[in-house]
Amino acid sequence: MARSLRERRRRSQNRFAMMSISAVVLVMLVVITIKSVELQSKSDYYASREAVLNKQIAEEQERTEEIAEYKKYVQTKKYVEEVAKDKLGLVYDDEVIFKPEE
């Protein structure tokens, strides 16, 4: 009888140990799953943010090119003539200006 009582205690302790280990493993699995979902969410957010920033970079590069082209245009004689005519009302000596009647 003493032997069977010890075996029962040992089996009971083994069951308790197995249940404890199973519970710990289950809790770890749940935590890992939750963290995995959170990390995937962050990854998706950062990917979309990266796409937006890359688009902004491309737009700024286009703008930089436009500014460089405008800078070249501003240094031309044609631009100077347009500004002189439009803003200052200047004309060449041999030019004739016709104004509409009011």
Side-chain angles (χ1 to χ4, degrees):
M1 247 196 186
R3 189 169 194 189
S4 84
L5 184 57
R6 275 190 254 159
E7 286 180 21
R8 283 186 201 165
R9 282 185 186 166
R10 190 180 326 149
R11 284 184 189 166
S12 175
Q13 288 175 351
N14 283 343
R15 283 186 194 149
F16 179 73
M18 291 299 284
M19 293 291 241
S20 298
I21 291 172
S22 297
V24 168
V25 169
L26 183 63
V27 168
M28 288 177 59
L29 182 64
V30 169
V31 169
I32 289 172
T33 302
I34 291 171
K35 290 298 180 181
S36 174
V37 169
E38 288 176 5
L39 286 175
Q40 184 62 41
S41 164
K42 282 184 181 181
S43 176
D44 293 343
Y45 168 76
Y46 289 136
S48 67
R49 182 76 175 135
E50 180 183 16
V52 168
L53 292 175
N54 284 334
K55 183 179 176 185
Q56 287 178 350
I57 288 171
E59 290 172 354
E60 289 301 320
Q61 287 173 342
E62 285 180 22
R63 186 169 173 258
T64 301
E65 291 173 7
E66 290 174 1
I67 290 172
E69 289 177 21
Y70 186 72
K71 181 180 177 183
K72 289 178 187 177
Y73 172 68
V74 168
Q75 296 172 349
T76 63
K77 185 177 179 181
K78 182 178 179 182
Y79 174 78
V80 173
E81 289 177 358
E82 287 178 7
V83 170
K85 285 182 181 180
D86 293 342
K87 295 189 179 182
L88 302 176
L90 300 177
V91 293
Y92 285 110
D93 291 334
D94 59 344
E95 222 174 4
V96 179
I97 298 178
F98 295 98
K99 292 186 180 180
E101 291 184 19
E102 295 180 11

